[in-house]
Amino acid sequence: MGAGKNIWNAMEVAEQASHCSTSQIPSSSLSIDPSLPLSDISPLIIELCKDLFSKWSNLENSRFSVETISGGITNLLLKVTVKEENGNTVSVTVRLYGPNTDYVINRERELQAIKYLSVAGFGANLLGVFANGMVQSFINARTLVPSDMRNPKLAANIAKELRRFHEVEIPGSKEPQLWIDMFKFFEKASALEFDDNEKQKVYNTISFSVVHNEMIELKELTSLLNAPVVFAHNDLLSGNIMVNDEEGKLYFIDFEYGSYNYRGFDIGNHFNEYAGYECDYSLLPNKDEQYHFLRHYIQPTNPHEVSDKDLEALYVEANTYMLASHLYWALWGIIQAKFSPINFDYLGYFFLRYNEYKTQKERCFTMARSHLSQSETGLNMNAQ
């Protein structure tokens, strides 16, 4: 597969990303295969670090140690620890993008955002870029697991942090990307052929005309909600949230899918992620748990002063966009099933997300329409 052809140019992107900083971001044209075993990756990572950072270029390889932090379903994260000449020990994080992820991720957009987000205190600092990944400062914290998100104290802190995240200004177009990206996903997903006969049989059972109609119907409904457009994370699952338990400090990481988008999508998508990759929807936050989160999002300093009206409106908005999140990641799953070398049942993931969309559709549509007609009635009453 010609992933190399449409991979972004590291030098060009570093140039763009450094516009908000006087320091040039180091760049390397090296590329590293994330599917290699750690023993084979380690010397390549050391070579990369020496290539990117001149202060390390003459150090002995024995001064470097490389370990795996985590492998997501698209990325490999590595921790590199370096014993410098002066006796200091420094750690950095190296993120290797999964092959072919450029089919679903806009890397230029990601790198542009990282600079501004790190200045605003989000995630790790960008230290260097290379052909299929980036090097960032190391965050001393643990990654959350789905069950952590149910913890009321953590949920409140995530809500407050998300509110702060949504207030960051990123230069460039402020056009919400949800439907643009989703229709792009649809074009790709609906025109695939699989080499694997079993996968092709499963793929053939998907009625893309029905999926397309669902997208149009949902787009029309969500447009009536007038959700504010913010810079959104768009992928706030437990694996992209870290916490230092001793300091009580929370970090959002991995802004791969970050873009200007609808507030309700970011919140609704986060609620869907309570279910984890296994899509155990019995773990979704109930109304009380969602209200707890939404109070801290709307009024981070005075959560108990939030009016019922504001709470209800954001609850409806988030739940309606939860449907959009299911369709978005369902289509994403089909594309990954074709192009990702990672051993994960992406086609099965499509059905888990799409079936949950169908299960929740009537409840969410009814609730949104009822809310809209009440708002309409209220407006008419005030106008008289």
Side-chain angles (χ1 to χ4, degrees):
M1 204 49 239
K5 284 180 198 153
N6 50 2
I7 210 154
W8 47 276
N9 178 320
M11 297 289 187
E12 196 177 292
V13 171
E15 190 78 23
Q16 289 171 1
S18 66
H19 281 179
C20 78
S21 163
T22 49
S23 62
Q24 178 68 31
I25 297 168
S27 233
S28 168
S29 57
L30 292 176
S31 175
I32 298 172
D33 180 356
S35 65
L36 293 171
L38 187 63
S39 56
D40 293 348
I41 276 187
S42 294
L44 300 174
I45 294 286
I46 294 167
E47 185 193 345
L48 170 72
C49 287
K50 289 181 172 187
D51 190 37
L52 279 172
F53 308 113
S54 53
K55 61 177 180 175
W56 294 345
S57 58
N58 296 319
L59 292 179
E60 294 283 323
N61 280 14
S62 58
R63 287 178 171 268
F64 293 78
S65 69
V66 182
E67 59 185 293
T68 305
I69 303 173
S70 71
I73 56 175
T74 48
N75 284 318
L76 179 63
L77 275 184
L78 300 160
K79 178 185 178 183
V80 182
T81 306
V82 188
K83 287 186 179 147
E84 296 184 328
E85 290 286 9
N86 59 9
N88 285 352
T89 300
V90 179
S91 294
V92 295
T93 305
V94 177
R95 179 146 65 99
L96 296 177
Y97 305 141
N100 304 328
T101 48
D102 43 331
Y103 286 101
V104 289
I105 291 164
N106 180 331
R107 295 293 176 196
E108 283 91 343
R109 195 163 77 189
E110 177 190 10
L111 281 164
Q112 159 81 337
I114 280 176
K115 285 297 292 188
Y116 292 89
L117 290 165
S118 66
V119 167
F122 289 99
N125 294 325
L126 182 63
L127 304 177
V129 294
F130 55 101
N132 67 326
M134 62 174 71
V135 182
Q136 291 174 286
S137 56
F138 179 74
I139 295 174
N140 183 25
R142 71 178 177 90
T143 304
L144 298 193
V145 293
S147 57
D148 283 319
M149 301 201 296
R150 301 197 80 86
N151 175 318
K153 191 179 170 201
L154 268 176
N157 287 340
I158 293 167
K160 290 175 190 173
E161 194 71 350
L162 187 58
R163 173 62 187 256
R164 201 168 75 79
F165 189 91
H166 286 169
E167 286 164 357
V168 176
E169 284 282 320
I170 307 284
S173 166
K174 303 280 193 284
E175 189 179 1
Q177 296 298 304
L178 173 63
W179 301 106
I180 296 170
D181 287 350
M182 208 193 295
F183 281 102
K184 275 184 194 162
F185 283 7
F186 179 83
E187 291 302 317
K188 283 176 184 157
S190 59
L192 295 176
E193 275 186 41
F194 288 88
D195 303 329
D196 181 316
N197 283 342
E198 288 308 307
K199 278 188 180 173
Q200 187 64 41
K201 272 185 201 162
V202 174
Y203 176 81
N204 289 343
T205 67
I206 300 167
S207 171
F208 283 101
S209 59
V210 172
V211 175
H212 195 261
N213 290 341
E214 295 292 349
M215 288 164 65
I216 289 167
E217 192 184 4
L218 183 59
K219 185 184 179 190
E220 285 170 3
L221 178 65
T222 55
S223 70
L224 302 173
L225 294 170
N226 295 322
V229 174
V230 295
F231 189 83
H233 186 289
N234 296 323
D235 191 24
L236 205 55
L237 47 88
S238 59
N240 286 339
I241 305 171
M242 299 179 81
V243 66
N244 180 316
D245 291 306
E246 280 132 48
E247 297 169 15
K249 178 136 177 59
L250 201 70
Y251 300 88
F252 291 172
I253 61 166
D254 283 13
F255 310 122
E256 294 186 300
Y257 294 91
S259 71
Y260 273 92
N261 219 340
Y262 303 101
R263 171 185 69 177
F265 178 80
D266 216 11
I267 297 171
N269 185 68
H270 173 66
F271 289 159
N272 278 338
E273 293 298 352
Y274 277 53
Y277 290 132
E278 293 74 34
C279 298
D280 179 354
Y281 292 112
S282 68
L283 299 175
L284 287 189
N286 61 33
K287 191 170 185 177
D288 287 344
E289 289 170 316
Q290 288 192 35
Y291 268 26
H292 169 73
F293 183 99
L294 298 173
R295 272 195 188 91
H296 287 85
Y297 176 90
I298 297 168
Q299 280 271 20
T301 47
N302 302 305
H304 298 295
E305 288 179 15
V306 177
S307 72
D308 291 346
K309 184 170 166 263
D310 288 350
L311 206 51
E312 177 67 19
L314 189 49
Y315 175 76
V316 171
E317 184 188 311
N319 277 261
T320 312
Y321 276 102
M322 282 170 88
L323 294 177
S325 153
H326 286 309
L327 289 181
Y328 179 94
W329 293 111
L331 290 166
W332 172 91
I334 299 174
I335 299 166
Q336 293 286 23
K338 169 71 179 171
F339 296 113
S340 175
I342 293 165
N343 183 19
F344 183 81
D345 182 10
Y346 288 107
L347 270 182
Y349 189 75
F350 163 82
F351 288 102
L352 287 170
R353 298 301 299 251
Y354 189 49
N355 290 341
E356 184 64 11
Y357 165 84
K358 290 190 284 192
T359 301
Q360 297 298 338
K361 180 186 172 183
E362 194 181 341
R363 176 185 73 86
C364 294
F365 267 65
T366 304
M367 181 168 70
R369 284 176 178 145
S370 163
H371 175 77
L372 287 163
S373 66
Q374 282 169 8
S375 306
E376 191 86 357
T377 308
L379 286 172
N380 292 340
M381 296 273 285
N382 292 337
Q384 282 169 9

